[in-house]
Amino acid sequence: MQGFTQKIVQMMKNEKLFQSQGGPIILSQIENEYGPESGQLGAAGHAYTNWAAKMAVGLATGVPWVMCKQDDAPDPVINTCNGFYCDYFSPNKPYKPSLWTESWSGWFTEFGGPIYQRPVQDLAFAVARFVQKGGSLFNYYMYHGGTNFGRSAGGPFITTSYDYDAPIDEYGLIREPKYGHLKDLHKAIKQCEHALVSSDPTVTSLGTYEQAHVFSSKNGACAAFLANYHSNSAARVKFNNRNYDLPPWSISILPDCRTDVFNTARVSFQTSQIQMLPSNSRLLSWETYDEDVSSLAESSKITASGLLEQISTTRDTSDYLWYITSADISSSESFLRGRNKPSITVHSAGHAVHVFVNGQFSGSAFGTSEDRSCTFNGPVNLRAGTNKIALLSVAVGLPNVGFHFETWKAGITGVLLHGLDHGQKDLTWQKWSYQIGLKGEAMNLVSPNGVSSVDWVRDSLAVRSQSQLKWHKAYFNAPDGVEPLALDLSSMGKGQVWINGQSIGRYWMVYAKGACGSCNYAGTYRPAKCQLGCGQPTQRWYHVPRSWLKPTKNLIVVFEELGGNPWKIALVKRTIHTPAN
């Protein structure tokens, strides 16, 4: 870690990026939200915190170092706050400034869950409340939403979109009223600057739920923040012999202690109307290639007695790991003479599994963000003699937070056959072969060079021999205009998609479960409060950067695990219409 940190800091210094060198970087951070983990580790966690802080300070960036959510950050490192609110926060020494390094503008989305939104009235209220208490810096997470291209999504079941309900959306477009209202908030705070940096606030009560925070300087500058903390009652308060009306759960900012220039709950911006419009670009002549399920065992490089853990086997070179074994069935088994079919149970630690017996698809099972593990239970067609069982285990993102998350497992943990004459047959501890990744990945089918290494079949001719585990490809020209682009994948199931060899990310048309309903900005915000999209696919549209496209003959390659109709995939333009106020 020390070598890595030294290397990064040296790269920054070489480019003269720190403020001490005349550059734009005013703070450096070592570790992120390690505090909750370090607490569970006791003395060892505390010792590591001290080591990391000392090591970082020794790199002499010339700007302060911070640690987020780290109450025991040693001097001169500043401990900072991350969260929906930070007005309750004080640094661990009185001479350290109060810094809010992550003011959460929304919450991330998980496949199978709803879209979380955070009303801007509440976000502005949280920021004003922090500043009125003497906060020095607030930094939004996220201000510009992002996209988890490739397989980079942090955490199991995190979607490809990392839009985060941010003021600037994943596509780079302005989201109103969030953007404009926060801009007005910052303008109002800026007008108070001279008073804010001159004194600590004087706090006076204006009622049961109402307060005034007043900042004043020796040369007469005065700024006031008038707060109403009640979550459903408006209040009329008297301040400096004037009356002020405060909506519920709001703060008014008075840069001259008289004029109310901004209230966190009064929004003067119309909500952006987002549209996904058809582009003039057609995806032409889809062709298909079936992922090979029949010759898996012959090419296997790894064999073991028992079931291996997925991530330590694949080393994250692929989301996919094949588990392959065989089951010998005696010709005397009574199910062969028309009795009840036997069944198979496959236990998986996560995150999904597709079951194939004798090359035939038997079904799938999927975990969820609440419970990563899953179990497949279903009838199977077994025959006398040797039966080949191939299980495709699928990871959907790696863990990235939680105590000892390196020990969280993925992959198959147990396999049983039921309904045989001698009861159940446990295949868990027999010899298994393994194949890391898909044949199509190994042949680099996704790249413009590798795509020609196999014989593709015109999709209309491929009489849907198996709809699972199919590669699809087509070509398209870049659409006209400059609007951001997205793929509408609502006709597909689950898989990954590449354009000109670059991964757009994982897609999955799993439907959102949640508690969508009305959303009141007032009162303490938690992600469960304002949910959207229940009963719809969690993510239907997938961001395609225009910079990845050529004018003509762009290659799209889709790997589909479950089935779906690539002919209905559309390239759409994202536009935002904000009505005039």
Side-chain angles (χ1 to χ4, degrees):
M1 179 181 153
Q2 182 166 359
F4 173 79
T5 310
Q6 282 172 332
K7 183 177 177 67
I8 298 294
V9 167
Q10 195 53 53
M11 288 168 73
M12 308 285 232
K13 284 183 176 179
N14 292 346
E15 301 294 331
K16 299 207 170 5
L17 290 176
F18 290 108
Q19 188 274 330
S20 53
Q21 304 172 289
I25 295 174
I26 61 168
L27 285 176
S28 356
Q29 181 183 330
I30 191 78
E31 275 300 345
N32 184 55
E33 300 186 358
Y34 178 67
E37 317 298 319
S38 114
Q40 295 184 41
L41 290 162
H46 183 67
Y48 168 74
T49 301
N50 285 338
W51 171 83
K54 190 176 174 189
M55 183 270 290
V57 171
L59 298 174
T61 60
V63 303
W65 283 93
V66 301
M67 283 180 159
C68 303
K69 285 194 179 182
Q70 192 74 50
D71 296 341
D72 61 347
D75 288 4
V77 174
I78 304 161
N79 63 308
T80 71
C81 181
N82 291 355
F84 291 117
Y85 304 95
C86 283
D87 52 281
Y88 64 86
F89 168 79
S90 296
N92 60 19
K93 294 283 169 55
Y95 45 79
K96 293 181 182 178
S98 192
L99 308 180
W100 187 359
T101 32
E102 290 185 18
S103 169
W104 297 337
S105 63
W107 200 241
F108 52 80
T109 315
E110 294 166 311
F111 283 119
I115 309 295
Y116 299 107
Q117 291 200 304
R118 185 175 186 192
V120 71
Q121 298 95 319
D122 176 68
L123 181 54
F125 177 67
V127 170
R129 206 168 161 172
F130 176 72
V131 173
Q132 76 174 8
K133 193 205 164 196
S136 298
L137 170 147
F138 53 91
N139 174 62
Y140 292 96
Y141 184 99
M142 310 281 291
Y143 203 75
H144 189 326
T147 309
N148 294 312
F149 294 117
R151 295 164 46 251
S152 63
F157 300 97
I158 299 292
T159 54
T160 298
S161 167
Y162 203 82
D163 188 75
Y164 224 83
D165 198 35
I168 302 171
D169 75 13
E170 172 184 2
Y171 296 84
L173 300 174
I174 284 173
R175 173 178 277 121
E176 295 292 16
K178 199 163 256 188
Y179 182 89
H181 193 57
L182 291 179
K183 189 176 177 182
D184 282 356
L185 166 70
H186 306 151
K187 209 155 83 182
I189 293 170
K190 180 73 176 163
Q191 287 175 263
C192 305
E193 179 177 23
H194 195 72
L196 288 175
V197 299
S198 300
S199 71
D200 289 326
T202 306
V203 184
T204 52
S205 171
L206 302 175
T208 314
Y209 295 92
E210 299 82 39
Q211 282 181 344
H213 289 65
V214 180
F215 297 80
S216 49
S217 74
K218 290 190 177 68
N219 63 3
C222 179
F225 290 67
L226 307 184
N228 174 12
Y229 300 124
H230 202 289
S231 53
N232 48 33
S233 295
R236 169 163 275 211
V237 298
K238 204 173 197 68
F239 174 73
N240 282 354
N241 291 320
R242 290 184 168 214
N243 290 324
Y244 296 89
D245 290 314
L246 304 177
W249 199 253
S250 81
I251 294 174
S252 281
I253 299 177
L254 288 52
D256 57 0
C257 284
R258 291 171 66 82
T259 318
D260 178 351
V261 301
F262 178 87
N263 178 276
T264 57
R266 291 192 194 108
V267 178
S268 58
F269 293 85
Q270 298 286 320
T271 301
S272 306
Q273 289 164 2
I274 296 160
Q275 290 182 300
M276 294 303 217
L277 300 173
S279 72
N280 66 334
S281 184
R282 297 281 164 270
L283 284 68
L284 303 169
S285 59
W286 283 98
E287 294 184 310
T288 295
Y289 172 74
D290 283 358
E291 175 69 16
D292 181 14
V293 181
S294 54
S295 62
L296 280 167
E298 292 99 86
S299 57
S300 173
K301 308 270 193 300
I302 309 169
T303 55
S305 294
L307 297 161
L308 300 177
E309 194 279 325
Q310 179 167 347
I311 306 298
S312 52
T313 306
T314 63
R315 298 282 176 198
D316 192 39
T317 53
S318 169
D319 276 1
Y320 302 100
L321 178 64
W322 281 105
Y323 292 69
I324 308 134
T325 193
S326 57
D328 290 326
I329 296 296
S330 157
S331 56
S332 65
E333 284 283 351
S334 46
F335 79 82
L336 294 167
R337 294 184 295 284
R339 301 273 171 83
N340 289 345
K341 261 191 191 179
S343 65
I344 190 168
T345 298
V346 179
H347 297 289
S348 166
H351 305 130
V353 59
H354 306 303
V355 178
F356 293 84
V357 177
N358 295 325
Q360 274 193 317
F361 177 66
S362 297
S364 306
F366 305 96
T368 64
S369 59
E370 291 80 38
D371 182 3
R372 298 181 296 277
S373 63
C374 55
T375 298
F376 174 81
N377 233 320
V380 281
N381 290 318
L382 298 176
R383 49 190 183 222
T386 302
N387 293 262
K388 190 166 140 196
I389 293 166
L391 311 172
L392 182 59
S393 181
V394 189
V396 189
L398 297 180
N400 73 345
V401 71
F403 193 56
H404 275 307
F405 67 74
E406 77 281 6
T407 62
W408 296 7
K409 292 186 168 35
I412 312 297
T413 54
V415 182
L416 300 162
L417 290 176
H418 309 276
L420 305 176
D421 289 349
H422 295 290
Q424 70 177 21
K425 185 179 176 82
D426 189 343
L427 309 181
T428 305
W429 289 103
Q430 63 182 39
K431 185 180 161 197
W432 288 81
S433 310
Y434 295 87
Q435 180 180 300
I436 295 170
L438 306 164
K439 287 270 175 71
E441 287 178 305
M443 293 186 289
N444 203 16
L445 285 192
V446 304
S447 79
N449 299 333
V451 74
S452 54
S453 59
V454 299
D455 290 327
W456 295 78
V457 179
R458 185 69 197 267
D459 196 37
S460 49
L461 303 174
V463 191
R464 307 256 182 257
S465 52
Q466 58 168 72
S467 57
Q468 297 77 27
L469 309 194
K470 271 189 187 301
W471 296 85
H472 304 282
K473 79 170 172 79
Y475 290 93
F476 65 96
N477 296 336
D480 58 9
V482 294
E483 304 91 339
L485 302 174
L487 282 173
D488 181 349
L489 295 175
S490 54
S491 64
M492 303 303 286
K494 178 181 181 300
Q496 296 179 39
V497 56
W498 295 260
I499 287 182
N500 294 332
Q502 299 241 53
S503 173
I504 293 292
R506 302 183 182 97
Y507 68 86
W508 191 1
M509 291 306 121
V510 61
Y511 283 74
K513 296 187 185 72
C516 297
S518 61
C519 168
N520 179 7
Y521 79 86
T524 304
Y525 176 80
R526 290 293 175 262
K529 232 180 119 168
C530 296
Q531 302 180 22
L532 288 182
C534 302
Q536 308 285 322
T538 298
Q539 187 178 351
R540 172 179 172 180
W541 290 288
Y542 294 77
H543 182 194
V544 179
R546 277 193 182 260
S547 57
W548 291 11
L549 301 184
K550 309 175 294 184
T552 58
K553 207 167 189 232
N554 295 286
L555 170 67
I556 176 171
V557 176
V558 179
F559 176 66
E560 171 57 59
E561 297 171 29
L562 300 172
N565 184 353
W567 290 87
K568 289 191 173 166
I569 295 175
L571 192 62
V572 299
K573 296 176 173 185
R574 184 178 177 91
T575 67
I576 284 194
H577 173 62
T578 306
N581 290 344

